[in-house]
Amino acid sequence: MPARSVWRFVNYTINHVSEDGVTWEIFCSTYGCEGSHIADSDEQCSDWAMRHTAKTGHALFRRSCSDHARVTRG
Ligand SMILES: [Zn+2]
C-alpha cells in the first residue's frame, strides 16, 4: 500500500517589533584595535566614532543595526 501524506500550507508574516527597539553597533576596523560602541541611536555611535578618530587617527569603521522581529501565523 503506498504511503500518503497531506501537505498543509500556512502563511506566516514577519514584522519589526518596535517596543523592543533598535540597536546600533560600530566597530573600529583598524588592525589590532578593539574599539567599539553600542547604542540606541546612530547619532551616538557616530559621535563615538568621531571621538575615536580624533583620539587615535583610526578612520575606518564597520556599522550594523539590528532590530527584533516577530513571526506570526496568518
Ligand atoms: Zn580604533
Side-chain angles (χ1 to χ4, degrees):
M1 177 176 222
R4 299 184 72 195
S5 61
V6 177
W7 293 82
R8 295 183 184 170
F9 296 96
V10 178
N11 291 324
Y12 289 91
T13 59
I14 186 165
N15 293 294
H16 167 67
V17 180
S18 60
E19 61 267 27
D20 288 328
V22 174
T23 301
W24 289 85
E25 298 176 80
I26 191 161
F27 304 87
C28 179
S29 294
T30 299
Y31 180 78
C33 182
E34 296 181 357
S36 66
H37 188 72
I38 298 173
D40 293 338
S41 73
D42 180 33
E43 290 80 16
Q44 291 172 332
C45 284
S46 296
D47 288 345
W48 176 86
M50 289 184 274
R51 287 194 306 275
H52 187 73
T53 297
K55 190 179 349 177
T56 64
H58 302 164
L60 184 62
F61 298 89
R62 177 175 57 84
R63 295 192 297 186
S64 67
C65 176
S66 61
D67 70 345
H68 292 84
R70 178 173 289 121
V71 172
T72 55
R73 185 175 175 169

